[in-house]
């Protein structure tokens, strides 16, 4: 039994220039105790989806089930108001109430909410929640007198203090500085794992998504374009969009030819899946770290692109090069202890098991449109 | 839906499930506002069709005679209308340059003691309009006005009159104009403030000189805002009551509001003629609605220009050099003429047994007394009337602010048609003259148990102060991040609880500001008490007016002094309290 299930969710905003379709037939399910992430660029409808689940926006179609309870169903006209849904939420702005102390902020749901507990139990529960986020010592501070990271912890403590079935997190780390973000990432992951709370996480940061989640759904223009484990999404992106959005990728257009793909840089031999029989154009995708970079030497080997180094930047653990070959520029990683110089001739060797083949841009768009039509027809 | 489900249930499930708490709250707010503004209007329109002596909603005949009488000119409408227009026009011509000059000085120049000037500009707010008018009677009454007497003494005139006469149209205009300058200043300051200085800077860096910048950038950008303020006050003055009552009746200059008052209070063969008063009221409403529409249109235009940068805003201040002392002197002169002169006359009069002008020949034999103040304690009404006033103003302020908080919350957060309707309806009281509004409540409730109770006065006050305070709360509400409320909903707190524990609590500073605003305005108001108070519900304003009318002028002055002192104490304590709230 999944903790959260979202079926063909649609949501529109009414704006001056007519309706904006923010969510377009999104379906997914989160298993009990899992950490599920919606990953996508700004404006793709992540927050809108989350707000529909929390009941802060009313969808235009679809069905949402939290635990056993149907909280929204267009067909039977069920709309459970927010305050009766068993969710906890951390907002992007943290939404810490400035007129209350840290303690009262965290205790608020227990004192006034649906999950009201006897007075005597409020203090131990709040203290436990504050200890979990390591803020026990700040309980009596007025809330405005907190740093960004501390506010984030208060918001988290407030969301978990009544032990909700489902925790919704909307880019909770995006307001923190890089160092703190990394720390909190680990802490947050440990915390929800320890409490075994089912978590739905929204972010546009692929590192966060990959590092924390059991499952990642990549969203684009109101739709989920791919769902899978972090490894799946990163190593086997299903579309150029995912490949490009989740991590850095080199894309190379080509046409299917016997035993491989004919590109501007020669034939790349790779195993061809069945669908390529009908595809006119395809795209090859490979990660910068998938490529073996060597100094040019003698004739060009198979599956190799020859070019020259046109840019490099040193980022510590690695060296990032831009290699130009005819019209194209490729991102490649290299050994920081054996650097190349600008202008050096290099060979990019593409191991055939690290190169992905996807439908060309035209085909991808057609595929997405077809999927949308299918969803709408149902 | 399974087969065999009862029809009722099927119908129910097919209804959109939107009747949650938020919707109910919005409906409740909308209906309350509608009751307060629509019903009085309907009653007034009904009254125009009833003959003298018949109440608007009673059984009996209908007539068009009120209209025919009005159209025939018997009621002297055109004279009244012309007076009203001259009065409003003259006042604006005098007040706008003063208010704008002062706003410009305090906002855009380096005038010294700026923060002190700000504080001083709030002082006039606590003095009742009626008191200022009476102060001017003592200063510029044609015979015994102190200023007149001194001038005659100095120039050695034998005349027993003049040279000034406050009981004239010019006198009314002068006193009114002085009175509205502070409120007008306050609104103009915000117009000047909303102007993004980078727009001016962009013009000067592109080589336009300072005068050119003023003419081509600053003025066009501010014009809609300034015009909106002018229209707003023009309506307010066309419908104002107290100065025309204190000065105009004696002067024989009747304006819209005093004409209505005279018709209502004149008992013609034992029959009240509400009908013809209501026709005048309708004219007031039409003027108001036209004016408000114009006002709203201009405000929308000016906010289209408003560029909210959110960046540190530091307008360029014009250096005045030595002129700044001249400027300061002018502001000082204004405050002296507006506050100190009239009010010191009231204070002086309140210590006399009967009024004697403070002339050199009288100074030795002034009838000093504390009797007027002692009478306040002896007078059997005093305790009750002060308690009545306190109850009424506190109840009116509290209920208005609660209603207005809910209305503006609904308008900002829900944006549903119901919520928008409530918000739009709150503009109506601005268009309906206070006298008309109160008259409608009078007509609606006379003969019901509510008539003659403090509750009715409270309701009338709520209706009258709805519009200003809604504007206030609406903009405060916009500042509250909606996620603060959503966090409470997600925590399992129902919308009503969220409204109470989060929204209202965060809005406390604005709430208290509006609350104080109503307290000071209601306590000073004459319109509502004069029309609605009965022998059992006498308020301070009634006592002031009845003493004044009964010729016991110095006693009336003492009541005014007490009222002003109390209001100053309330405002001072309130401001301190708000200061504490904001910090805490
Ligand atoms: N109140 C609104 N009215 C109209 N359109 C809106 C509103 N809120 C969001 N949108 C639009 O809906 C789309 C989805 O917005 P949403 O906030 O869900 O994006 P998001 O994925 O959370 O983006 P971000 O990463 O920037 O937070 C966007 O195109 C946005 O412009
Ligand atoms: Mg978002």
């Amino acid at each position: 039994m999944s903790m959260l299930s979202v079926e063909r969710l649609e949501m529109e905003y009414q704006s001056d220039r007519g309706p904006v379709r923010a969510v377009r037939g999104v379906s997914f399910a989160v298993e009990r105790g899992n950490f599920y992430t919606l990953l996508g660029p700004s404006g793709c409808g992540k927050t809108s989806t989350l707000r529909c689940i929390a009941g802060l926006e009313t969808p235009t179609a679809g069905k949402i089930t939290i635990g056993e309870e149907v909280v929204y169903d267009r067909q039977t006209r069920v709309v459970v108001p927010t305050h009766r849904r068993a969710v906890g939420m951390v907002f992007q702005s943290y939404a810490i109430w400035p007129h209350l102390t840290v303690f009262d902020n965290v205790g608020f749901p227990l004192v006034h909410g649906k999950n009201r507990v006897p007075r005597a139990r409020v203090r131990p529960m709040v203290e436990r929640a504050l200890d979990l986020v390591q803020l026990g010592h700040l309980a009596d501070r007025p809330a405005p007198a907190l740093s960004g990271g501390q506010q984030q912890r208060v918001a988290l403590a407030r969301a978990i203090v009544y032990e909700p079935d489902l925790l919704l997190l909307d880019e909770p780390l995006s307001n923190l500085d890089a160092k703190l973000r990394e720390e909190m990432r680990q802490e947050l992951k440990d915390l929800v794992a320890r409490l075994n709370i089912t978590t739905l996480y929204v972010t546009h940061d692929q590192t966060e998504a990959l590092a924390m989640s059991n499952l990642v759904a990549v969203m684009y223009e109101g739709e989920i374009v791919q769902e899978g484990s972090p490894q799946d999404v990163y190593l086997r992106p299903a579309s150029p969009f995912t490949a490009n959005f989740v991590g850095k990728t080199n894309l190379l257009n080509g046409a299917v030819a016997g035993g491989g793909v004919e590109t501007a840089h020669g034939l790349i031999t790779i195993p061809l899946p069945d669908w390529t029989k009908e595809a006119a154009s395809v795209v090859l995708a490979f990660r910068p770290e998938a490529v073996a970079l060597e100094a040019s030497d003698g004739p060009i080997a198979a599956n190799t692109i020859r070019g020259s180094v046109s840019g490099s930047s040193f980022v510590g653990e690695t060296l990032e090069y831009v290699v130009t070959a005819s019209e194209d520029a490729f991102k490649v990683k290299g050994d920081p202890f054996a650097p190349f110089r600008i202008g050096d001739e290099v060979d990019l060797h593409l191991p055939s098991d690290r190169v992905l083949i996807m439908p060309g841009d035209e085909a991808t768009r057609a595929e997405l449109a077809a999927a949308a039509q299918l969803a709408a027809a149902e | 839906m399974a087969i065999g489900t009862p029809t009722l249930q099927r119908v129910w499930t097919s209804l959109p499930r939107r009747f949650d708490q938020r919707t109910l709250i919005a409906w409740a707010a909308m209906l309350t506002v509608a009751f307060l503004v629509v019903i009085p209007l309907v009653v007034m329109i009904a009254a125009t069709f009833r003959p003298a002596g018949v109440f608007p909603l009673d059984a009996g005949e209908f007539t068009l005679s009120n209209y025919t009488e009005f159209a025939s000119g018997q009621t002297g409408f055109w004279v009244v209308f012309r007076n009203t227009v001259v009065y409003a026009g003259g006042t604006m011509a005098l007040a706008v340059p003063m208010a704008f000059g002062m706003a410009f000085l305090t906002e855009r120049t380096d005038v010294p003691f700026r923060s002190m000037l700000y504080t001083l500009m709030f002082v006039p707010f606590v003095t009742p309009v009626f008191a200022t008018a009476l102060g001017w009677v003592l200063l510029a009454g044609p015979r015994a006005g102190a200023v007149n007497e001194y001038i005659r003494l100095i120039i050695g005139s034998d005349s027993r009159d003049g040279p000034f006469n406050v009981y004239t149209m010019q006198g009314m205009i002068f006193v009114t104009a002085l009175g509205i300058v502070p409120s007008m200043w306050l609104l103009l300051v915000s117009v000047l403030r909303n102007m993004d200085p980078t727009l001016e800077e962009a013009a000067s860096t592109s080589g336009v000189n300072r005068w050119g910048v003023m003419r081509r950038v600053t003025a066009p950008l501010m014009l809609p805002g300034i015009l909106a303020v002018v229209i707003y006050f023009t309506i307010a003055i066309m419908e104002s009551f107290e100065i025309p009552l204190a000065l105009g009746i004696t002067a024989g200059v009747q304006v819209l509001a005093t004409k209505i008052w005279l018709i209502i209070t004149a008992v013609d063969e034992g029959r009240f003629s509400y009908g013809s008063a209501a026709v005048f009221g309708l004219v007031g409403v039409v003027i108001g609605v036209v004016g408000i529409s114009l006002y709203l249109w201009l405000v929308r235009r000016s906010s289209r220009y408003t560029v909210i940068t959110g960046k540190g805003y530091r307008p360029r201040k014009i250096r005045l050099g030595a002129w700044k002392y001249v400027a300061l002197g002018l502001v000082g002169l204004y405050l002296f003429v507006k506050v100190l002169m009239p009010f010191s006359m009231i204070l002086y009069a309140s210590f006399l047994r009967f009024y004697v002008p403070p002339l050199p020949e009288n100074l030795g034999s002034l009838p000093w007394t504390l009797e007027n103040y002692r009478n306040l304690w002896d007078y059997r009404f005093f305790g009750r009337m002060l308690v009545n006033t306190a109850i009424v103003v506190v109840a009116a302020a509290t209920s208005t602010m609660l209603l207005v908080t809910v209305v503006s919350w609904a308008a900002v957060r829900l944006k549903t048609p119901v919520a928008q309707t409530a918000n739009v309806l709150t503009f109506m009281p601005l268009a309906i003259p206070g006298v008309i509004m109160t008259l409608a409540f009078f007509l609606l409730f006379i003969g019901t148990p509510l008539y003659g109770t403090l509750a009715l006065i409270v309701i009338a006050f709520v209706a009258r102060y709805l519009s200003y305070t809604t504007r206030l709360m609406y903009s405060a509400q916009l500042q509250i991040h909606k996620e603060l409320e959503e966090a409470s909903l997600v925590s399992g707190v129902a919308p009503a609880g969220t409204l109470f524990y989060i929204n209202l609590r965060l809005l406390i500073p604005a709430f208290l500001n509006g609350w104080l605003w109503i307290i000071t305005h209601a306590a000073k108001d004459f319109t509502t008490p004069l029309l609605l108070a009965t022998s059992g519900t006498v308020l301070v304003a009634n006592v002031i007016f009845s003493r004044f009318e009964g010729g016991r002028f110095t006693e009336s002055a003492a009541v005014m002094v007490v009222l002003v002192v109390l209001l100053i104490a309330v405002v001072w304590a309130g401001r301190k309290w708000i200061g504490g709230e904001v910090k805490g």
Side-chain angles (χ1 to χ4, degrees):
Chain A
M1 183 72 205
S2 51
M3 194 67 237
L4 168 70
S5 113
V6 173
E7 293 161 57
R8 294 189 297 280
L9 186 73
E10 301 260 349
M11 208 275 280
E12 284 180 358
Y13 289 104
Q14 298 307 325
S15 78
D16 298 342
R17 269 174 265 129
V20 178
R21 287 184 66 200
V23 182
R24 309 177 181 191
V26 162
S27 300
F28 62 94
V30 185
E31 299 306 315
R32 188 176 290 277
N34 264 12
F35 195 113
Y36 190 100
T37 298
L38 294 176
L39 172 67
S42 183
C44 72
K46 309 179 296 284
T47 299
S48 306
T49 308
L50 205 65
R51 290 173 61 81
C52 287
I53 295 167
L56 297 168
E57 305 285 352
T58 313
T60 42
K63 183 175 175 184
I64 302 171
T65 316
I66 298 174
E68 307 282 289
E69 192 188 12
V70 176
V71 293
Y72 174 80
D73 189 350
R74 172 72 215 202
Q75 240 81 59
T76 55
R77 313 220 166 215
V78 172
V79 184
V80 175
T82 301
H83 64 280
R84 285 206 285 273
R85 297 189 185 188
V87 299
M89 183 162 175
V90 174
F91 291 85
Q92 200 167 353
S93 70
Y94 304 150
I96 302 297
W97 299 305
H99 60 294
L100 299 176
T101 61
V102 168
F103 185 93
D104 292 335
N105 259 284
V106 177
F108 189 85
L110 301 177
V111 177
H112 300 299
K114 169 193 66 152
N115 308 290
R116 220 168 272 145
V117 298
R119 282 271 158 190
R121 286 193 51 212
V122 172
R123 181 154 284 276
M125 284 177 78
V126 172
E127 276 168 359
R128 175 162 174 269
L130 283 175
D131 284 341
L132 279 173
V133 298
Q134 296 161 30
L135 277 187
H137 59 294
L138 292 181
D140 297 321
R141 276 272 181 98
L146 292 178
S147 71
Q150 289 166 339
Q151 288 191 28
Q152 197 270 339
R153 288 159 198 251
V154 175
L156 189 59
R158 183 178 63 190
I160 59 175
V161 72
Y162 49 94
E163 292 160 10
D165 295 340
L166 178 65
L167 185 60
L168 306 173
L169 304 169
D170 188 0
E171 311 207 16
L173 306 182
S174 66
N175 290 345
L176 306 180
D177 65 65
K179 192 85 178 25
L180 192 56
R181 186 152 50 202
E182 212 161 302
E183 272 174 42
M184 281 306 295
R185 198 155 71 203
Q186 194 55 40
E187 216 174 281
L188 190 60
K189 188 181 171 184
D190 293 348
L191 182 65
V192 292
R194 187 142 37 111
L195 297 175
N196 198 28
I197 299 183
T198 314
T199 306
L200 179 61
Y201 190 89
V202 156
T203 183
H204 62 250
D205 180 351
Q206 48 124 350
T207 327
E208 273 174 28
L210 299 180
M212 299 169 86
S213 324
N214 300 111
L215 274 180
V216 177
V218 181
M219 278 189 81
Y220 179 60
E221 294 196 339
E223 296 175 54
I224 292 182
V225 292
Q226 186 174 359
E227 184 193 71
S229 68
Q231 285 84 351
D232 270 344
V233 171
Y234 189 81
L235 299 176
R236 284 173 290 281
S239 68
F241 169 76
T242 313
N244 235 340
F245 184 70
V246 185
K248 288 175 184 157
T249 297
N250 296 297
L251 296 174
L252 190 55
N253 289 316
V256 178
V261 174
E262 189 60 46
T263 72
H265 307 278
L267 182 75
I268 308 287
T269 7
I270 56 163
L272 291 173
D274 280 350
W275 61 263
T276 53
K277 285 186 191 119
E278 281 133 51
S281 71
V282 294
V283 178
L284 296 182
F286 53 95
R287 302 279 183 203
E289 63 271 23
V291 178
L293 184 65
E294 288 156 10
S296 294
D297 185 20
I300 305 181
N303 277 13
T304 299
I305 299 170
R306 178 164 289 181
S308 67
V309 175
S310 61
S312 78
S313 56
F314 176 67
V315 292
E317 67 265 38
T318 178
L319 255 169
E320 293 176 357
Y321 294 108
V322 178
V323 175
T324 317
S326 55
E327 312 282 71
D328 295 315
F330 298 100
K331 289 163 277 195
V332 191
K333 288 195 177 169
D335 182 356
F337 294 98
F340 289 102
R341 266 190 295 263
I342 305 275
D344 283 356
E345 288 272 299
V346 288
D347 279 356
L348 313 185
H349 182 66
L350 311 180
S352 59
D353 58 337
R354 296 187 184 183
V355 177
L356 289 167
I357 178 164
M358 329 174 163
D361 278 349
E362 280 321 304
T364 315
R365 241 175 269 137
E367 191 186 83
L368 289 177
Q373 244 171 13
L374 240 141
E378 276 184 39
Chain B
M1 197 81 345
I3 298 163
T5 314
T7 322
L8 196 65
Q9 192 182 339
R10 220 163 22 211
V11 170
W12 171 245
T13 45
S14 71
L15 284 173
R17 283 289 175 83
R18 296 198 169 218
F19 288 96
D20 61 338
Q21 237 178 42
R22 289 150 69 97
T23 318
L24 292 178
I25 295 171
W27 271 99
M30 199 274 278
L31 292 176
T32 313
V33 174
F35 164 78
L36 289 168
V37 307
V38 176
I39 291 187
L41 211 57
V42 170
V43 168
M44 209 190 61
I45 293 169
T48 62
F49 294 105
R50 310 310 298 272
V54 178
F55 288 117
L57 301 180
D58 285 355
E61 55 177 316
F62 285 83
T63 175
L64 285 175
S65 68
N66 293 314
Y67 286 98
T68 50
E69 194 186 24
F70 179 81
S72 72
Q74 273 173 3
T75 48
F77 170 72
W78 287 110
V79 179
V80 170
F81 186 70
R82 203 197 58 215
N83 283 343
T84 310
V85 170
V86 172
Y87 172 55
T91 305
M92 293 313 288
L94 197 58
V96 172
M98 280 200 278
F100 185 78
M102 245 177 259
F104 194 83
L105 274 182
T106 49
E107 275 304 300
R108 302 299 301 269
T109 68
D110 62 345
V111 69
F113 311 115
R114 200 162 154 267
S115 68
M116 195 186 74
L117 284 181
Y118 263 79
T119 314
L120 285 176
M121 287 302 277
F122 282 94
V123 171
F125 287 127
V126 292
T127 42
V129 180
F130 200 75
T132 318
L134 293 189
W136 278 101
V137 169
L138 302 184
L139 286 165
R143 291 262 165 84
V147 172
N148 281 333
E149 301 247 29
Y150 270 97
I151 289 176
R152 293 201 296 266
L153 199 71
I154 290 162
I155 63 172
S157 161
D158 298 336
S159 166
R160 300 194 52 196
D161 280 359
F164 296 120
N165 184 358
V166 78
Y167 291 122
T168 54
M169 177 64 95
Q170 294 91 315
M172 284 163 64
I173 288 175
F174 175 73
V175 175
T176 313
L178 284 185
I180 62 164
V181 165
S183 320
M184 208 187 258
W185 163 80
L186 202 59
L187 290 188
L188 287 174
V189 160
S190 68
V191 172
L192 286 174
R193 240 182 230 177
N194 280 341
M195 162 94 202
D196 183 352
T198 54
L199 296 176
E200 289 178 320
E201 282 156 17
S204 17
T205 48
S206 50
V208 183
N209 67 21
R210 180 169 298 182
W211 171 239
V213 171
M214 274 281 160
R215 206 158 53 96
R216 302 204 181 279
V217 179
T218 317
L221 281 176
M222 289 192 320
L223 203 61
I226 292 173
L227 275 181
V229 173
V230 168
I231 289 171
Y232 179 93
F233 282 97
T234 309
I235 303 166
I237 292 164
M238 288 187 88
E239 304 184 342
S240 73
F241 177 59
E242 289 162 16
I243 290 173
L245 178 71
L247 304 177
I249 304 269
T250 313
V253 178
Q254 290 169 13
V255 296
L256 210 55
T258 44
K259 178 74 184 178
I260 293 167
W261 157 255
L262 287 174
I263 299 176
I264 301 166
T265 47
V267 180
D268 180 17
E269 296 163 20
R271 301 193 309 170
F272 302 92
S273 44
Y274 302 120
S276 47
V279 176
F280 275 91
L282 216 51
V283 174
V285 172
V286 170
I287 294 175
V289 168
V290 171
I292 293 299
S293 316
L294 206 58
Y295 169 79
L296 289 178
W297 180 73
L298 282 167
V299 166
R300 204 149 350 119
R301 258 181 81 96
S302 72
S303 61
R304 197 175 62 203
Y305 285 148
T306 313
V307 189
I308 298 162
T309 51
K311 298 268 147 55
Y313 167 79
R314 213 170 295 109
R316 235 168 15 147
K317 302 253 156 135
I318 295 171
R319 289 218 189 80
L320 290 176
W323 284 100
K324 66 185 169 194
Y325 297 105
V326 177
L328 201 60
L330 285 175
V331 178
L333 180 68
Y334 164 75
L335 287 170
F336 178 75
V337 173
K338 162 67 180 96
V339 183
L340 219 54
M341 277 174 61
F343 200 69
S344 52
M345 291 308 285
I346 297 284
L347 192 64
Y348 160 77
S350 73
F351 287 104
L352 300 179
R353 197 156 34 244
F354 51 90
Y355 181 72
V356 177
L359 294 177
E361 73 248 35
N362 300 336
L363 286 183
S365 59
L366 287 174
W368 292 116
T369 180
L370 286 175
E371 200 64 12
N372 295 327
Y373 289 95
R374 222 172 299 129
N375 276 351
L376 290 179
W377 297 118
D378 299 343
Y379 194 53
R380 68 193 152 92
F381 264 119
F382 183 73
R384 197 143 116 225
M385 118 203 147
L386 203 60
V387 172
N388 278 350
T389 308
I391 291 174
V392 165
V393 298
V394 169
T398 311
S399 30
T400 311
M401 290 316 294
L402 286 175
L403 174 62
V404 150
T405 307
V406 175
V407 169
S408 43
W409 169 80
V412 171
R413 285 283 179 271
L414 302 187
K415 300 193 179 83
T416 56
V418 173
Q420 303 289 26
T421 309
N423 188 32
V424 168
L425 281 178
T426 60
F427 274 103
M428 279 306 287
L430 217 60
I432 308 174
V435 180
I436 309 291
M437 192 89 169
T438 317
L439 172 65
F441 279 106
F442 171 76
L443 292 174
L444 186 60
F445 288 105
I446 191 163
T448 70
L450 211 54
Y451 186 73
T453 62
L454 293 176
L456 180 57
I457 303 179
V458 171
I459 293 174
F461 273 137
V462 173
R464 286 188 53 201
Y465 296 133
L466 201 56
S467 18
Y468 178 84
T469 45
T470 307
R471 299 306 101 219
L472 190 80
M473 283 313 259
Y474 188 87
S475 44
Q477 186 78 62
L478 286 176
Q479 319 277 320
I480 295 194
H481 200 307
K482 76 173 173 189
E483 289 188 351
L484 290 172
E485 284 169 50
E486 291 173 349
S488 164
L489 293 173
V490 172
S491 308
V493 181
T498 299
L499 195 56
F500 186 77
Y501 294 121
I502 302 295
N503 195 270
L504 192 57
R505 187 57 190 67
L506 289 173
L507 285 172
I508 273 191
F511 187 96
L512 289 179
N513 263 329
W515 193 78
L516 273 184
W517 188 89
I518 296 174
I519 296 253
T520 49
H521 280 73
K524 292 176 344 194
D525 181 69
F526 272 63
T527 316
T528 302
L530 291 195
L531 281 164
L532 286 184
T534 57
S535 57
T537 55
V538 174
L539 302 187
V540 171
N542 297 95
V543 176
I544 294 176
F545 188 68
S546 67
R547 292 289 173 288
F548 167 73
E549 248 192 346
R552 299 203 336 253
F553 180 71
T554 56
E555 250 182 66
S556 153
V559 184
M560 289 185 227
V561 172
V562 171
L563 181 61
V564 169
V565 170
L566 286 177
L567 282 180
I568 289 176
V570 168
V571 171
W572 184 76
R575 296 239 138 239
K576 263 190 96 111
W577 190 28
I578 294 173
E581 276 298 329
V582 174
K583 273 184 222 99

